Amino acid sequence: MDCPHLVESARVTTPFDRDDNTGGQCRLKCTACKTEQNPWICLTCCNIGCGRYVSGHALSHYECNSKHCVCMDSENFSVYCYACDDFVINDTPGRHLDILRKNLQTFNSKNNQLARKSLRRRSDASETENDKKRQKKDDKLKKIRPKSSGLRNLGNTCFMSAVLQSLSNIQHFCGYIKQLPSLEDKNNKIRKVVTRKHSRDGTDEDVLLVEELRKTLIAIWEGGKSAISPESLLQVIWKLVPRFRGYQQQDAHEFMRYLLDRLHTELLALLPYTSTNNNSPFIGPKGKSTIVTAIFGGLLQSEVNCLICGVESKKHDPFLDLSLDIPVQYHNIKVNKGKENLDQPVCKLSECLTNFTEVEELEETELYMCTGCKKKQRSTKKFWIRRLPNVLCLHLKRFKWVTSFRQKLETYIDFPLTHLDMNKYILDMHETRGTSIGSNIYDLAAVIVHHGSGAGSGHYTAYVLNESQWYHFNDSTVTACEAETVARCKAYILFYIRREIRLPDYLNVSNGNGPPSSHRNSRS
């Protein structure tokens, strides 16, 4: 966006003003809370404040000084205008932004050199063998270059970036979408039918989400750029879902569910496969499966028992993800920012799964219409997982309603990086238990994390595993990280992949990279 406030507001060209620049090692810290996390520089007065997903002191500075509306991220050098509520792409006639970026690069480089020198001086007296190993590990991680690109933040679009990066690293799903033929030349009548079937708000936009997603995933994995801009995909989403329009923060889980549902609907109309296997392990009747349901689709069985006459009712419901409550006993745990909180009781993911499948008595507002008693009665309800998906997506319900606002639960959930055993959560049936070793064993593939305290604010990032290496995707920035870092994060959405992927022949991806050639040729 070309910011109209830039010429008036942008005056700073150095990281510090003259009085603060001592020439020695100095870290950029928030003037309010002294944190070094995500510092932003006010381009009018050089005030340094932390970003929105830390404590938001850069925003507070603007709210107290309305003319100080433009600031720069000192880490990735992006520029944001609070008055426009958007990221800035233009520069002043005097090239203030370009000069400041170069000075920040020089400052960061010199600061890193001074830090290394200081570390070497201290090492003679106090550095231990563990410190040396840690430093070598950090240096090694910095040298690892990701094979995929980051996604530029287009104005609070981190919720979209985190979901796209997670899905792009699920090989069978991403490979299939990437190798679809271009759908731009598809018959307009078909395109309109797809949109008309899916549009619930009355809009009839002649756009296809799957086509823009295909282009975006290809661009992510071309690897030629450190970051790409998903503008076209964002514009399609805005056209299809008015609720996602604008630059306010959205919920990553809601976006992921909409994305998968929309893709499934479009693919059913555009690429109608017909299953010849009457025992297809995927949800829906024959001919109703797509790569979405084949990868993420599972089946729940709910059992409702009348407490008066004992009549039992069973129902089967397909799912693309499971939303898990955090047990009540962990709701009021106070979390100290910046500390490990090792003395706090730890909630395990297995407790959330057990809580999901335990018998519960329905409340008075949910009385069950009993077929035996012929009236609403008190009853109990229990969920079983009847069929597990190839990719198990677990959404942790961190936001709860307290009176008229949503409160975030900061509870740390201890989740396994490998060997999540789902056997005890499924029905004891031959067709669901399976006989092979890895049939119900899952390994973690990606994690979406929400930083901050508000449901409609904060920031989303994602940790993903690619070729045995974990990466942290923070919008345009992609960095290698250790598995221990992933294990310590406060997960919001977890993606687990079954060790034995089961795909029907008509949706199978050759070498995990795309649809079979026969299907590609028939639709070219």
Side-chain angles (χ1 to χ4, degrees):
M1 179 208 73
D2 287 341
C3 174
H5 309 95
L6 194 60
V7 174
E8 180 183 353
S9 300
R11 301 172 186 173
V12 173
T13 56
T14 59
F16 294 102
D17 57 33
R18 291 180 181 177
D19 293 335
D20 293 329
N21 191 2
T22 61
Q25 182 185 357
C26 187
R27 308 295 297 181
L28 294 177
K29 297 181 181 180
C30 174
T31 56
C33 63
K34 308 305 179 185
T35 181
E36 296 179 11
Q37 296 183 56
N38 194 218
W40 288 73
I41 302 173
C42 173
L43 299 190
T44 306
C45 68
C46 206
N47 177 78
I48 299 174
C50 57
R52 295 188 190 192
Y53 68 91
V54 183
S55 296
H57 288 124
L59 174 60
S60 300
H61 175 71
Y62 158 68
E63 292 172 343
C64 296
N65 308 272
S66 59
K67 292 185 178 180
H68 297 216
C69 56
V70 185
C71 57
M72 178 180 288
D73 188 331
S74 65
E75 296 170 341
N76 60 30
F77 312 138
S78 60
V79 178
Y80 193 83
C81 176
Y82 288 112
C84 298
D85 195 21
D86 203 348
F87 284 82
V88 178
I89 61 173
N90 59 314
D91 202 343
T92 65
R95 309 296 298 169
H96 282 73
L97 302 189
D98 186 50
I99 295 172
L100 179 56
R101 287 189 178 102
K102 291 178 180 177
N103 286 335
L104 269 173
Q105 289 175 333
T106 302
F107 166 78
N108 290 339
S109 177
K110 289 182 178 179
N111 214 29
N112 290 335
Q113 291 176 6
L114 289 169
R116 285 193 291 269
K117 289 180 181 179
S118 176
L119 181 63
R120 283 196 294 269
R121 286 196 299 268
R122 293 197 307 270
S123 66
D124 295 336
S126 62
E127 187 175 19
T128 63
E129 189 63 30
N130 287 336
D131 293 330
K132 293 179 180 178
K133 290 181 180 179
R134 190 179 301 111
Q135 185 62 42
K136 289 181 179 179
K137 187 179 291 186
D138 291 342
D139 292 341
K140 182 180 179 181
L141 287 173
K142 290 178 182 178
K143 294 178 181 178
I144 298 176
R145 306 308 304 168
K147 295 183 178 180
S148 59
S149 301
L151 293 169
R152 292 193 182 94
N153 193 315
L154 304 177
N156 277 333
T157 55
C158 54
F159 70 94
M160 180 176 74
S161 299
V163 171
L164 291 177
Q165 295 290 12
S166 298
L167 296 179
S168 75
N169 280 272
I170 296 175
Q171 183 185 24
H172 288 79
F173 174 79
C174 178
Y176 185 93
I177 298 296
K178 281 167 55 183
Q179 292 198 20
L180 286 173
S182 174
L183 300 173
E184 288 184 330
D185 298 328
K186 272 288 183 182
N187 186 291
N188 284 334
K189 182 178 179 180
I190 296 178
R191 295 163 65 96
K192 290 180 179 179
V193 167
V194 174
T195 307
R196 191 160 51 248
K197 284 182 177 180
H198 197 80
S199 295
R200 299 173 182 175
D201 58 352
T203 59
D204 192 18
E205 300 285 356
D206 184 20
V207 292
L208 287 174
L209 181 60
V210 65
E211 173 62 15
E212 291 304 326
L213 178 63
R214 182 186 71 86
K215 294 177 184 176
T216 302
L217 292 178
I218 289 173
I220 287 175
W221 285 103
E222 280 180 346
K225 300 178 181 179
S226 60
I228 64 168
S229 179
E231 284 185 63
S232 297
L233 179 61
L234 181 63
Q235 289 174 2
V236 168
I237 292 167
W238 281 8
K239 288 180 179 180
L240 296 174
V241 195
R243 182 165 56 84
F244 287 138
R245 292 174 189 169
Y247 295 100
Q248 66 273 22
Q249 185 63 274
Q250 302 287 349
D251 185 270
H253 176 247
E254 292 179 6
F255 172 75
M256 182 196 72
R257 282 307 312 268
Y258 171 78
L259 180 69
L260 294 179
D261 288 342
R262 175 76 190 194
L263 289 175
H264 175 62
T265 301
E266 289 186 0
L267 288 173
L268 279 179
L270 292 166
L271 310 170
Y273 293 108
T274 302
S275 174
T276 57
N277 181 6
N278 292 330
N279 298 316
S280 173
F282 304 103
I283 65 173
K286 289 190 301 181
K288 296 298 182 182
S289 179
T290 67
I291 193 66
V292 176
T293 54
I295 294 293
F296 299 97
L299 191 65
L300 282 177
Q301 176 171 305
S302 59
E303 300 175 357
V304 179
N305 283 275
C306 177
L307 292 176
I308 306 302
C309 69
V311 168
E312 181 181 80
S313 174
K314 295 182 180 180
K315 183 181 178 182
H316 296 159
D317 296 300
F319 68 88
L320 295 178
D321 70 310
L322 298 178
S323 290
L324 308 179
D325 286 304
I326 297 174
V328 176
Q329 62 266 32
Y330 297 104
H331 281 200
N332 296 321
I333 294 177
K334 294 183 178 179
V335 178
N336 298 318
K337 291 185 178 181
K339 297 184 179 180
E340 292 293 331
N341 300 287
L342 297 178
D343 57 336
Q344 300 282 9
V346 175
C347 176
K348 294 182 178 295
L349 181 62
S350 57
E351 295 180 72
C352 299
L353 286 165
T354 299
N355 187 58
F356 179 80
T357 55
E358 281 182 343
V359 176
E360 64 171 334
E361 184 173 345
L362 297 177
E363 298 183 10
E364 293 293 327
T365 56
E366 301 176 302
L367 291 179
Y368 163 65
M369 177 58 76
C370 177
T371 56
C373 301
K374 306 299 181 183
K375 63 178 181 179
K376 291 185 176 182
Q377 298 284 24
R378 290 173 52 241
S379 58
T380 61
K381 187 174 185 178
K382 177 179 175 60
F383 281 115
W384 289 100
I385 299 176
R386 185 178 179 88
R387 185 165 59 242
L388 284 163
N390 285 305
V391 173
L392 178 63
C393 179
L394 302 177
H395 162 235
L396 297 171
K397 296 163 76 171
R398 289 196 173 275
F399 299 104
K400 66 174 183 177
W401 284 100
V402 179
T403 60
S404 60
F405 66 95
R406 290 175 76 192
Q407 181 184 44
K408 183 182 177 184
L409 299 175
E410 292 284 0
T411 309
Y412 169 71
I413 307 296
D414 183 16
F415 54 90
L417 298 183
T418 60
H419 202 88
L420 173 65
D421 190 347
M422 293 296 295
N423 272 297
K424 61 182 177 181
Y425 307 111
I426 62 176
L427 278 172
D428 190 8
M429 300 168 58
H430 175 71
E431 63 268 28
T432 57
R433 286 285 179 183
T435 56
S436 53
I437 296 175
S439 58
N440 300 319
I441 304 299
Y442 289 76
D443 298 314
L444 189 65
V447 187
I448 294 177
V449 182
H450 177 268
H451 309 265
S453 58
S457 60
H459 183 63
Y460 289 98
T461 65
Y463 292 96
V464 301
L465 182 66
N466 185 267
E467 295 184 356
S468 302
Q469 175 62 56
W470 282 100
Y471 294 92
H472 185 211
F473 287 83
N474 183 2
D475 288 333
S476 58
T477 304
V478 186
T479 54
C481 63
E482 289 291 322
E484 292 81 1
T485 302
V486 181
R488 290 196 300 267
C489 76
K490 292 177 184 176
Y492 182 49
I493 305 175
L494 297 156
F495 297 86
Y496 282 94
I497 295 184
R498 193 204 301 259
R499 288 188 178 177
E500 292 183 356
I501 296 288
R502 303 168 181 172
L503 287 175
D505 292 338
Y506 61 96
L507 284 176
N508 200 23
V509 181
S510 303
N511 300 319
N513 292 319
S517 57
S518 58
H519 289 158
R520 289 201 302 272
N521 293 336
S522 64
R523 299 192 302 273
S524 297

